[in-house]
Structure formats: C-alpha cells, structure tokens
Amino acid sequence: MTQVQPATGHRPLLLVVATGMRTYREYLLRSIRSEFDIHLFHVDEPTWEKEYISGWTVLPSTLDGPAMADAARRLHAVTPVAGVLCWDEGRIHAASCTAEALGLRNGEPDVIWRLRDKGQTRAALDAAGVAQPRSLPVKTLEEALSAADRIGYPVILKPRGLGASLGVVRVDDAVQLAEKFAFTAGMRGPDPEPLVYSTDQPVLVEELVSGEEISVDAVVQDGKVTPLFVGRKVVGYPPYAEEIGHFVDGDDPLLTDPQLLDALQDTHTALGVRDAWTHSEFMLTAAGPRLIEVNGRLGGDMIPYLGLLATGIDPGLAAARVACGLTPGTTPSHLRVAGIRFFYVTHDDTRIESVAFRRTRLPAGVEQLVAVAKAGAVVSPPPKGTVWGRIAFAIATGDSIGECGAALDAAESALDVRSDQDATLARDELKVHGN
C-alpha cells in the first residue's frame, strides 16, 4: 500500500473512493477541488487525478468495506476526514461502511444496500405503500414463468443488483421470456457482486408500466429531499432498455410538480435515506409517477454535468457538501436545456480503426464532442455492447429541447467512424455489382 499524506490546511478533507473514467467523471473532481482537499482511495497510483487531489492511498480493493474502513481510520488519525464520497455503483456500499466507521453522516450501509438490492427496494416500498410496478423475485425460468403469469404479460426482466439498465429486457409472452431469461440471469457488471448474487432469487419479474421515463438527481439532508435535475430519458434498442441520450431542462415543470415531489419524498422516507445524493428513476404513467429504482450516488451518463450546464448548480460541490454535513448550493444561476447523445456501431464485433468528428460548420450549441472508442477496440451495439458499446457522445445546449436536439443531430452528422466493417461492406458491394 502506498500512502501520500494529504496537505494540511483549513479546508475540509473529503475522502473520495475511486473515480471512474476520466471522460465521464473528471468534471466532478475539478469542481470539488475548488473548496475541498481530496484524498483518493484507489487500486492503482493515480494518473490524471493528481491534478486535483492532495493525497492518495493505494488499496488491494475498493470493494472491501471493512479493509477500506481500517485505512480510513489511519488517514483520519493524521488529518480528520470531513466526509466520504463515492459515485461508482459497485463501490458505494463499501464507501458507506467507511463513512460509518468514521462516524460521518452518510455512513448508512444498510440503507445503501437496500438501494443496491432492488428486491429489498421493492419490499420496503411495498410495506410503505409507495406506488411502483408489481415485482416478484425469482431464481429459475420456471419461477419466472409462474411470476409472469401472476403479473400478466408484458413484463420486464431485471437483475436485482445491477445498474445502467444492464440485463433489463421486455418480454411479451412465455416464449420470449424463455428466450431472454438467460440473458438477464447471466448478466454481470464490471465488478464482482458477491452479495447480490448470493441471493437465491437474483432476477426480478416486474409489471410493465408505460409512459415517459425520467431520472431525478437530488440531495438529501436530514431526510429532506431536494430535487436538482430532472433528466428526460431517450431509450433505444427495444426490447432492451439502452439509454441512448438524455435532456435536462433547468426550468422543467416536474421540479415543482406536487405529485412527483410527494413520490420522491415518500420513496426516500420509506427507504430510510437520511444524507446522500441520489439518482431516482420514475415512469410517468397515466395514473401518476411509478418508482423504477433509486441509486445512492450521482447519476451516470453525464446527467449531473447536463444539470450544471442547464442550471449552474454544481453537482460535485453539492454532493461533497452533503457528504460533509454542509449546506449545498441549490439555487440556479440560469435556466436552459442541455442534452447528450451516445453513438454506437451497427454490427457486432466491429474493430474500430478511428472515431472522430468533423468540427466545421457545427452550430454554437454543440458543447462537447468526445470519441470514446480507441483504435483497435472491438465493440458491438446493444444488447451485446450495452453501455460499453458506446463509441462516442455529443453534448449540446439550447433554449429548448428541440433546439438542443437539432444541435445533437448536427453533431451526429459530423461523426466519422472507420472500422473493419467498412472493408467488409465494400467487398459485399463489389460482389453484388459483380453478379
């Protein structure tokens, strides 16, 4: 284990557990650094993070809560830690164990596990009478078929302990369920999930509820929920639930909608969330909002960054302040729309040669054009590729969702992807003409 001592000073020391990909999470460290000293727990010596942190500890694992808690106690003995923050889904439970060991406000590992395990989430909300889809946990295909008969088709199959819509699929009848069950039951995330997958019922069979799907990023202090950003999801690749884009409107009427606000507060109260940043997902049905899931972390897919662009509310600083028991800034400085769109290849097992954007004649609303896939990478579209099949993304802003969407259309038209499929398609074209 390598230890670099943090700088001492008058600023609070925030312990950050892991960072994720620089492409998607650097903006958080950049903001946090403006008010906090940051000590990073990581499995490797930091690289790009060193610009923002005052110290780090290299650990064998950031999934082991008790071991991480011991390391945090040693750090705390040298320089008191004011808060613990983690935005990686696979590590938020271990981070909460660490906060609990230091007596910090967001040290609620039982609550975090209740959020991570969607079966526990459903049970707690059922007990509290919170509106949500009917859900039955199952182990085998036979149990899933029986559960679907009880609920009524169509149904959703969902792993009970994963995020990013991994393994989520709609099935319309028993034949489709039999075809897709192994896809859901066999889905794994990027990290080991021994606790979730030790359950005898790792799959949820859920009622399909229809409407617009949204996300709500919120801060929670002393149990009071304050929504900051509403994300309007763009979902593709049916019957799978791949999130191919999002729009955040700083003046979204849902931010003040009494029905949604009540559902949001009731959900967090039922789950016992006291101090956290959360990312909740709802389906807006004709009968009102129905809770899909709650994540005990900042949203992914750059949604909090879209919120920053749309409102000026800084998600990194707000999350850090909540973790340290400080009052977050939640007042917008401006109101506009920000959106993101993700791009994919067309064919499975495509070897990338290059991904780039032609940057001429793009509208002013295009904020970022980011190539994700590197030369030599082999990628696939959903369902095989899912989140890790994304090859690039674009972010844009505008005065409306329509204006923002038009800027994203222009960015998509400027995307230039070269791959081994280009040569294959060219050969096929020659064969057609040759006939």
Side-chain angles (χ1 to χ4, degrees):
M1 181 178 72
T2 302
Q3 176 83 39
V4 175
Q5 301 297 343
T8 59
H10 300 294
R11 303 188 337 155
L13 179 65
L14 181 72
L15 174 58
V16 173
V17 178
T19 53
M21 292 179 61
R22 182 177 191 175
T23 300
Y24 293 104
R25 295 302 195 181
E26 183 177 15
Y27 75 95
L28 294 170
L29 285 186
R30 183 184 299 116
S31 292
I32 294 169
R33 179 59 179 170
S34 67
E35 289 188 9
F36 296 83
D37 287 334
I38 303 170
H39 190 94
L40 178 64
F41 277 5
H42 211 341
V43 293
D44 296 302
E45 182 174 334
T47 53
W48 61 269
E49 299 96 339
K50 287 182 179 178
E51 179 181 350
Y52 307 107
I53 62 177
S54 56
W56 69 86
T57 302
V58 176
L59 299 170
S61 171
T62 48
L63 297 167
D64 185 339
M68 215 158 55
D70 287 342
R73 290 189 190 97
R74 291 191 292 272
L75 172 66
H76 190 65
V78 176
T79 304
V81 174
V84 179
L85 182 60
C86 180
W87 45 74
D88 184 288
E89 179 69 16
R91 290 161 174 80
I92 57 174
H93 183 259
S96 187
C97 291
T98 302
E100 181 185 46
L102 300 183
L104 300 174
R105 290 173 66 92
N106 58 344
E108 301 174 310
D110 290 344
V111 172
I112 293 298
W113 198 247
R114 194 174 300 131
L115 306 184
R116 292 231 55 215
D117 181 349
K118 295 175 177 63
Q120 287 191 42
T121 299
R122 293 295 188 215
L125 297 183
D126 269 343
V130 174
Q132 61 176 339
R134 189 180 179 194
S135 177
L136 295 172
V138 302
K139 179 179 181 180
T140 65
L141 172 59
E142 291 71 23
E143 290 178 2
L145 289 167
S146 176
D149 284 339
R150 292 166 61 188
I151 292 172
Y153 290 98
V155 296
I156 298 293
L157 300 181
K158 176 188 295 186
R160 66 186 290 170
L162 293 180
S165 298
L166 294 175
V168 178
V169 60
R170 166 181 170 155
V171 295
D172 292 328
D173 53 41
V175 172
Q176 289 184 7
L177 193 153
E179 292 174 349
K180 300 298 185 184
F181 183 78
F183 167 78
T184 301
M187 183 61 66
R188 296 293 183 268
D191 299 304
E193 299 286 354
L195 292 177
V196 170
Y197 289 109
S198 66
T199 177
D200 287 335
Q201 298 172 310
V203 173
L204 299 178
V205 180
E206 300 200 335
E207 173 191 7
L208 175 71
V209 289
S210 299
E212 182 183 6
E213 189 172 2
I214 66 163
S215 63
V216 183
D217 275 83
V219 290
V220 189
Q221 286 196 298
D222 294 323
K224 178 177 172 53
V225 185
T226 302
L228 301 182
F229 315 131
V230 170
R232 304 272 183 165
K233 291 189 181 188
V234 183
V235 180
Y237 296 93
Y240 307 96
E242 179 75 4
E243 296 173 15
I244 61 175
H246 308 268
F247 290 100
V248 175
D249 183 348
D251 198 26
D252 198 307
L254 288 175
L255 288 167
T256 55
D257 180 80
Q259 200 171 24
L260 179 62
L261 294 181
D262 286 347
L264 191 66
Q265 184 63 62
D266 291 347
T267 294
H268 285 73
T269 300
L271 295 172
V273 181
R274 296 288 303 166
D275 294 279
W277 179 295
T278 63
H279 178 80
S280 305
E281 299 180 354
F282 289 87
M283 191 70 75
L284 303 181
T285 75
R290 296 293 181 266
L291 189 281
I292 302 300
E293 65 183 55
V294 182
N295 306 119
R297 53 167 174 79
L298 289 117
D301 282 0
M302 302 290 285
I303 296 172
Y305 182 71
L306 299 182
L308 173 62
L309 293 177
T311 69
I313 297 171
D314 193 307
L317 285 179
R321 289 173 184 170
V322 169
C324 295
L326 304 173
T327 302
T330 60
T331 302
S333 60
H334 58 258
L335 299 173
R336 56 179 175 169
V337 177
I340 188 168
R341 184 176 299 172
F342 299 100
F343 305 114
Y344 306 76
V345 294
T346 304
H347 303 282
D348 281 351
D349 301 321
T350 295
R351 184 176 296 277
I352 296 294
E353 293 180 3
S354 65
V355 178
F357 289 89
R358 299 181 298 277
R359 296 176 182 266
T360 56
R361 298 183 180 178
L362 286 173
V366 175
E367 298 277 346
Q368 287 190 27
L369 299 170
V370 180
V372 177
K374 306 299 183 184
V378 177
V379 295
S380 300
K384 185 175 182 178
T386 62
V387 171
W388 293 282
R390 296 167 175 172
I391 60 170
F393 65 83
I395 293 175
T397 58
D399 292 330
S400 67
I401 287 179
E403 183 178 320
C404 188
L408 292 174
D409 289 342
E412 184 168 0
S413 297
L415 180 61
D416 184 10
V417 182
R418 301 185 185 277
S419 71
D420 61 352
Q421 288 293 331
D422 298 331
T424 301
L425 293 173
R427 287 195 298 270
D428 290 343
E429 185 71 10
L430 288 172
K431 290 176 184 178
V432 170
H433 290 303
N435 290 336

